[in-house]
Amino acid sequence: MRVSNNENHEALKIEGSNIFADKQTFMKEFVQTLATNSSKALDEASSIDFYNTLGTMIRSHVSKNWISTNKQYNQSGEKQVYYFSMEFLMGRLLQSNMLNLNILSVVNEGLEELGINFASISEEEHDAGLGNGGLGRLAACFLDSIASLQLPGHGCGIRYKYGLFEQKLIDGYQVELPDYWLKEDYVWEVRRSDRSVNVRFGGYVETKVVDGDILFDHKNYETVLAVPYDVPVVGFENKTVNTLRLWSAEPSNSEQDFHSSNRENYYKFLNYKRSIESISEFLYPDDSHFEGKKLRLKQQYFLVSAGLQSILNSYKRRSNQSLQDLHDKATFHINDTHPALIVPELMRILMDDEGFGWDEAWEITTKTCAYTNHTTLVEALEKWPVSLFQELLPRIYMIVEEINERFCRELWAKHPGEYDRISDLAIIAHNQIRMAHLAIVGSFSVNGVAKLHTEILKQREMNNFYTVFPEKFNNKTNGITHRRWLMNSNPKLSSYITEAIGQRWIKQPRDLIGLVKYAKDAAFQEKIAKVKLDNKLILADYIKNKTGIIVDEHSIFDVQVKRLHAYKRQLLNVFHIMELYNLLRENPNIDMVPRTFIFGAKAAPSYTFAKKIIKLINTVANVVNNDPYIQGKLKVVFLENYSVSMAEKIIPAADVSEQISTASKEASGTGNMKFMMNGALTIGTLDGANVEIHDMVGNENIFIFGLTSEQVLNYYNYGGYVARDIYNCDPRVRTVLDQLLDGFCGNDKVEFKDIYYQILSNNDEYFVLKDFDSYVEAHQKVDLNYRDQKEWLKKSIINIAHSGKFSSDRTISEYATEIWGIRPFLVE
Ligand code: 26W
């Protein structure tokens, strides 16, 4: 049933899950399921058995609503969105599904009575780490919001056998181990072999003219069977269960039959099988540098072709409408350029399989596809060499070539003689296919992920396209699901919030603004302080267990957790720590609030510079943590293998959130929002969504420092920055840099020379030295402010109060109305 937004809210109130009538019912079913699943009695079973039992029970309860959701979407013909992404960084699902089903307390109580601890069961779930960082986690938050807002929308991704590598630290160096997350059966997925489709690679295309029509005959291709595994996406306290469909590559049946006939063929078959399965074998662990690897292009086409075929098959199964009106029924969202092949693949299906002419197919395609850009880093832009592309995807290449030709011809008609402009905009140039250009030309909407980012796209990075297609460009500032990042990860804070302002904020996160009234309220401040301290104690305990380092829960927990990249400037953070340490070595009695610096970061395996920074952090940590002279005023902790589930433990315990990228480089950031929502104060540059956080909380509730994006971009364009001048003039900077080479860290003197030269000889591309002074000053402010706990708590509460804007529910409502054209749909 379709409902308006208001009615929808009313409906949400009365909906709710009644999976288990009471504790007793739950306990009985739990014991029964345990016996059926594992043939074990309670006292014989392990935590994994308990986890599997609970997971299986929940999934089977969800299946009823899952079936009815699908049925009702299909019957109503409601428009649906398909979010195509190479990454879905889902993390754990047990607790978030339980929250959304409203069964956390009944299950907790039931388990307790059975003598089972829920937290330890929950720890058994292996994170689904099918993403690198920001982009993949955003996709996961979006799925949660789409279902929670009762919107018809699904995820479409790859079921990688290995997720993002597991990070080990050996002697302070990052070492990567495979993340075989499917070791145990994954309780949340259902294999849907009946929905498998074939995807074709390689071969050649023969062109024939039949009755005046040109036909394209793809020959001698290799067929890969794409098998979908569906994961239910459960909405919060409603009956919506959307689908995350993850594709796995398998040998096709026909190849299997062909090869199984004799012994020689059998070995050929094994080789073939291995090469096919490699397509969905692992997630590429690099989200900073584009690498033109054939396997990666295979993954992209595999996702896009399988996803589109299955969507169009089901569309055709349920309606006899023509695909002519596809844009009224579906939007295909292109999450960064990785799935941009949707554009030519949809063209191929419409023309070659469905018989549309070019113009009609193009109109349908460009009304159906929408694209989000997540980065302006030039080195991350995808550009495929024509030869590789053409060999792997001959028919798709022909289509891209035709799109390019027609686009360039149009440009020529509008701007005759402007060769430079046209070659700037072309999709194919210098023997490369520019995927961002393909995505922009083939989509009706192009959005950035924070106000500043979108402005930079429009005014600078994509200005040439903005001039041609101004109407396509729009902003959708990122968000995070407050259900995972506040309600689940910080339940005590959540209940104090509800005590103060009632529970409406849960469905209307903007209502958190009501907390402003309590910012100076002594009793409320005390509660906030207590929650933070409790969370810090829990984290301190975790740190001790994982690293052996003992940290003082009364010190300032100053946290930087995110991927390791030069532009995110973990280096600036370490230089500041080295400076503090140098001060303490001079005078251990200086007046400072003790600090605990906490890091978590994975570097791409081939990113040597980033790996050096990890080694530097660990080296500095080793010196600082073991120096009794500084009286424990400084501790540095690097937590190994940062992940979604670890973030859920760290963020609620943070006092200070480090968001210190070189202005203009971080498209949005979403960690910044998670920290803010949990009451940490941000020290940050005016970059990405920090700008909007600053706008919301006001200058006095955030510590802003450093160059603005304008200044940074001017330096890039016109020069004028000389890092060595700062080295020469600022003795603090000189000391810290010299320490990289003088064996201060106890290492041989060449270990950190690359960092030294990157800064001084390569002129410090990310302005670390330039921003050093104002960063130190901002940290001095943090120290001073923290001493006045009342003031600090006030600021903290104001941050929480303004964090409602950054719920992904807001972001998704904007996508739904301004891009996708979908409406809430009440599943009954
Ligand atoms: C080609 C390799 C590659 C892989 C992934 C290049 C680039 C990517 C992603 C687009 C990088 C990414 O995750 N970007 C982040 O997206 C977040 C969600 O919008 C933003 O919050 C981050 O600022 C942005 O860095």
Side-chain angles (χ1 to χ4, degrees):
M1 186 214 287
R2 202 183 297 133
V3 284
S4 78
N5 271 323
N6 277 341
E7 286 162 358
N8 178 41
H9 180 66
E10 283 310 303
L12 278 170
K13 275 199 211 149
I14 49 162
E15 288 300 325
S17 275
N18 288 316
I19 291 184
F20 307 115
D22 52 31
K23 188 168 71 174
Q24 254 58 42
T25 323
F26 164 73
M27 286 159 61
K28 197 167 153 213
E29 192 182 320
F30 185 83
V31 174
Q32 266 169 4
T33 314
L34 177 70
T36 323
N37 275 5
S38 65
S39 306
K40 288 182 189 166
L42 264 186
D43 56 356
E44 299 167 305
S46 65
S47 300
I48 296 187
D49 296 320
F50 294 146
Y51 166 73
N52 282 327
T53 303
L54 190 51
T56 313
M57 279 165 70
I58 291 171
R59 207 204 66 217
S60 71
H61 280 289
V62 158
S63 63
K64 185 174 141 253
N65 285 345
W66 200 4
I67 294 168
S68 48
T69 300
N70 276 326
K71 210 182 229 163
Q72 290 171 41
Y73 285 168
N74 289 345
Q75 281 167 354
S76 68
E78 193 68 19
K79 183 172 184 181
Q80 303 180 51
V81 67
Y82 299 90
Y83 197 83
F84 278 74
S85 178
M86 289 284 282
E87 309 190 5
F88 286 93
L89 188 43
M90 301 299 282
R92 292 178 175 151
L93 291 183
L94 180 65
Q95 196 182 328
S96 62
N97 280 340
M98 285 170 58
L99 175 87
N100 286 6
L101 293 167
N102 198 10
I103 55 171
L104 270 171
S105 41
V106 73
V107 170
N108 258 297
E109 286 162 21
L111 288 174
E112 205 177 300
E113 196 156 326
L114 293 169
I116 302 167
N117 175 257
F118 173 68
S120 62
I121 300 191
S122 176
E123 286 295 315
E124 290 297 338
E125 180 168 2
H126 198 114
D127 273 36
L130 307 185
N132 273 285
L135 164 126
R137 182 55 232 174
L138 185 76
C141 283
F142 279 8
L143 292 184
D144 183 66
S145 284
I146 291 172
S148 296
L149 295 173
Q150 297 179 292
L151 290 164
H154 314 279
C156 194
I158 294 179
R159 181 181 181 267
Y160 302 106
K161 191 164 157 195
Y162 297 92
L164 184 64
F165 65 86
E166 185 187 330
Q167 178 191 55
K168 283 262 177 251
L169 292 175
I170 297 184
D171 194 20
Y173 295 100
Q174 167 175 298
V175 171
E176 303 89 23
L177 300 178
D179 166 51
Y180 188 32
W181 71 293
L182 293 168
K183 233 176 340 225
E184 309 284 332
D185 283 347
Y186 188 54
V187 290
W188 305 113
E189 72 182 4
V190 184
R191 182 181 161 96
R192 293 297 306 267
S193 330
D194 57 318
R195 293 284 186 252
S196 300
V197 297
N198 285 317
V199 178
R200 299 168 173 190
F201 290 100
Y204 57 92
V205 178
E206 266 181 14
T207 313
K208 284 187 276 193
V209 180
V210 179
D211 299 335
D213 288 332
I214 308 176
L215 297 185
F216 299 92
D217 202 1
H218 192 176
K219 294 206 152 142
N220 206 26
Y221 49 79
E222 182 171 72
T223 303
V224 176
L225 187 69
V227 183
Y229 287 72
D230 288 352
V231 178
V233 182
V234 177
F236 178 74
E237 291 187 5
N238 62 44
K239 292 188 175 174
T240 299
V241 182
N242 291 329
T243 301
L244 168 59
R245 175 160 279 191
L246 298 175
W247 294 93
S248 179
E250 296 185 7
S252 81
N253 298 334
S254 56
E255 300 278 342
Q256 212 150 331
D257 296 344
F258 172 76
H259 283 101
S260 55
S261 48
N262 67 42
R263 193 183 158 82
E264 193 201 338
N265 276 343
Y266 177 69
Y267 290 109
K268 271 199 197 149
F269 173 72
L270 288 185
N271 273 335
Y272 157 79
K273 180 174 180 303
R274 199 170 324 128
S275 85
I276 297 299
E277 286 170 352
S278 72
I279 296 174
S280 53
E281 186 98 333
F282 71 95
L283 165 81
Y284 273 89
D286 199 328
D287 64 350
S288 53
H289 296 274
F290 171 69
E291 224 191 335
K293 282 273 191 312
K294 189 172 174 181
L295 182 57
R296 167 92 176 169
L297 184 60
K298 265 191 166 176
Q299 291 186 333
Q300 297 186 347
Y301 183 67
F302 174 74
L303 162 67
V304 156
S305 181
L308 276 182
Q309 287 185 60
S310 94
I311 295 161
L312 297 180
N313 284 345
S314 93
Y315 179 79
K316 287 193 291 188
R317 253 197 318 273
R318 68 173 189 257
S319 69
N320 33 26
Q321 292 177 77
S322 147
L323 288 171
Q324 189 87 56
D325 306 313
L326 186 62
H327 73 281
D328 287 332
K329 299 289 157 195
T331 298
F332 302 133
H333 203 89
I334 303 175
N335 196 26
D336 212 85
T337 55
H338 322 148
L341 291 175
I342 288 181
V343 172
E345 174 66 358
L346 183 54
M347 288 295 285
R348 182 191 69 78
I349 297 174
L350 291 172
M351 295 187 302
D352 298 1
D353 299 349
E354 302 294 329
F356 286 96
W358 181 278
D359 291 333
E360 274 178 312
W362 185 243
E363 181 162 349
I364 297 171
T365 302
T366 50
K367 279 178 165 174
T368 313
C369 299
Y371 154 64
T372 298
N373 172 286
H374 293 269
T375 181
T376 53
L377 298 184
V378 190
E379 61 274 24
L381 292 182
E382 295 195 295
K383 294 175 188 154
W384 292 104
V386 164
S387 54
L388 181 148
F389 193 106
Q390 189 171 19
E391 187 195 309
L392 187 68
L393 308 167
R395 177 62 185 131
I396 294 300
Y397 179 70
M398 292 170 83
I399 294 170
V400 173
E401 225 180 7
E402 183 71 24
I403 296 174
N404 182 48
E405 290 215 346
R406 287 174 185 244
F407 176 54
C408 290
R409 240 181 280 144
E410 250 175 55
L411 288 172
W412 181 263
K414 271 198 225 158
H415 311 278
E418 292 189 34
Y419 291 98
D420 284 352
R421 182 202 290 263
I422 296 173
S423 75
D424 247 27
L425 289 161
I427 296 167
I428 306 176
H430 311 296
N431 276 316
Q432 287 178 321
I433 302 173
R434 301 155 163 178
M435 299 300 273
H437 296 210
L438 178 63
I440 298 171
V441 175
S443 299
F444 66 87
S445 166
V446 177
N447 77 282
V449 290
K451 270 186 199 154
L452 176 68
H453 170 60
T454 304
E455 281 315 302
I456 291 176
L457 289 180
K458 293 202 295 195
Q459 306 308 333
R460 294 179 187 254
E461 303 301 326
M462 294 180 167
N463 180 259
N464 47 5
F465 276 103
Y466 180 56
T467 317
V468 181
F469 304 119
E471 71 290 350
K472 291 192 185 188
F473 284 76
N474 64 93
N475 176 248
K476 296 287 167 281
T477 298
N478 282 166
I480 54 166
T481 167
H482 61 288
R483 288 167 288 277
R484 179 177 296 262
W485 296 106
L486 178 53
M487 297 170 72
N488 260 333
S489 64
N490 205 342
K492 278 192 205 150
L493 176 57
S494 307
S495 62
Y496 285 142
I497 293 173
T498 300
E499 265 177 45
I501 61 169
Q503 59 175 13
R504 251 182 60 125
W505 68 274
I506 291 174
K507 281 182 181 161
Q508 306 286 341
R510 283 285 192 138
D511 281 10
L512 286 170
I513 199 68
L515 289 174
V516 167
K517 236 181 34 217
Y518 295 86
K520 294 190 201 158
D521 179 309
F524 191 69
Q525 285 189 350
E526 209 173 290
K527 288 180 186 166
I528 296 298
K530 182 175 167 6
V531 170
K532 191 57 89 183
L533 184 63
D534 286 351
N535 291 336
K536 285 167 82 174
L537 279 164
I538 296 170
L539 182 60
D541 201 43
Y542 180 82
I543 290 173
K544 189 173 152 223
N545 284 333
K546 292 280 171 189
T547 67
I549 301 169
I550 294 175
V551 302
D552 171 6
E553 68 274 16
H554 296 292
S555 65
I556 299 176
F557 279 21
D558 183 320
V559 185
Q560 187 173 18
V561 286
K562 49 181 79 250
R563 281 302 283 264
L564 217 141
H565 282 294
Y567 85 81
K568 294 181 189 280
R569 297 202 295 191
Q570 280 92 351
L571 199 51
L572 179 57
N573 194 341
V574 195
F575 284 178
H576 171 242
I577 297 171
M578 291 168 76
E579 152 68 4
L580 279 179
Y581 178 68
N582 291 338
L583 284 175
L584 282 165
R585 283 297 307 183
E586 254 171 48
N587 174 12
N589 297 319
I590 53 168
D591 184 20
M592 68 173 274
V593 183
R595 285 263 189 141
T596 300
F597 289 95
I598 298 168
F599 292 87
K602 289 182 180 178
S606 62
Y607 195 168
T608 327
F609 187 68
K611 288 176 132 177
K612 266 290 180 248
I613 296 173
I614 292 182
K615 173 65 179 169
L616 178 62
I617 299 170
N618 285 311
T619 309
V620 170
N622 204 25
V623 173
V624 169
N625 297 342
N626 296 306
D627 186 346
Y629 189 67
I630 62 166
Q631 304 170 6
K633 285 187 171 157
L634 217 53
K635 285 280 163 76
V636 182
V637 176
F638 191 108
L639 286 168
E640 184 179 77
N641 202 34
Y642 179 62
S643 61
V644 173
S645 55
M646 193 191 290
E648 290 165 21
K649 297 186 175 77
I650 297 174
I651 292 170
D655 295 306
V656 175
S657 156
E658 298 270 353
Q659 307 300 336
I660 60 178
S661 53
T662 310
S664 80
K665 296 283 175 187
E666 189 71 272
S668 159
T670 43
N672 46 3
M673 303 167 183
K674 295 166 196 166
F675 282 99
M676 173 197 196
M677 201 175 263
N678 282 276
L681 303 198
T682 305
I683 178 163
T685 47
L686 283 176
D687 198 16
N690 296 353
V691 174
E692 286 157 82
I693 294 179
H694 175 244
D695 287 348
M696 297 297 291
V697 300
N699 214 29
E700 60 287 6
N701 298 303
I702 187 166
F703 304 95
I704 295 292
F705 73 96
L707 295 173
T708 62
S709 57
E710 198 69 28
Q711 291 169 322
V712 168
L713 294 168
N714 282 339
Y715 276 127
Y716 283 136
N717 286 335
Y718 308 113
Y721 170 52
V722 182
R724 195 168 280 279
D725 289 349
I726 298 180
Y727 172 84
N728 289 332
C729 297
D730 188 334
R732 300 167 305 178
V733 168
R734 195 163 53 245
T735 306
V736 165
L737 275 169
D738 288 349
Q739 283 171 330
L740 294 176
L741 295 190
D742 71 6
F744 146 88
C745 300
N747 275 67
D748 59 52
K749 299 186 177 180
V750 292
E751 178 81 76
F752 301 117
K753 71 175 189 334
D754 288 353
I755 298 180
Y756 183 89
Y757 289 115
Q758 190 62 244
I759 300 274
L760 290 181
S761 307
N762 277 353
N763 202 31
D764 184 16
E765 193 182 346
Y766 298 102
F767 301 92
V768 174
L769 300 196
K770 183 78 187 160
D771 280 349
F772 182 77
D773 182 57
S774 66
Y775 183 57
V776 170
E777 206 180 298
H779 267 301
Q780 286 162 351
K781 254 195 190 161
V782 168
D783 178 281
L784 282 178
N785 276 222
Y786 194 80
R787 297 167 195 225
D788 185 345
Q789 273 295 296
K790 285 206 157 311
E791 274 298 298
W792 184 273
L793 288 164
K794 183 185 98 192
K795 293 177 200 294
S796 168
I797 295 165
I798 287 186
N799 269 270
I800 303 168
H802 288 91
S803 68
K805 163 175 176 178
F806 301 104
S807 164
S808 44
D809 289 4
R810 188 266 312 148
T811 315
I812 285 302
S813 311
E814 292 175 6
Y815 273 89
T817 52
E818 295 163 25
I819 301 180
W820 299 333
I822 57 169
R823 300 168 288 196
F825 177 93
L826 189 67
V827 175
E828 291 171 328

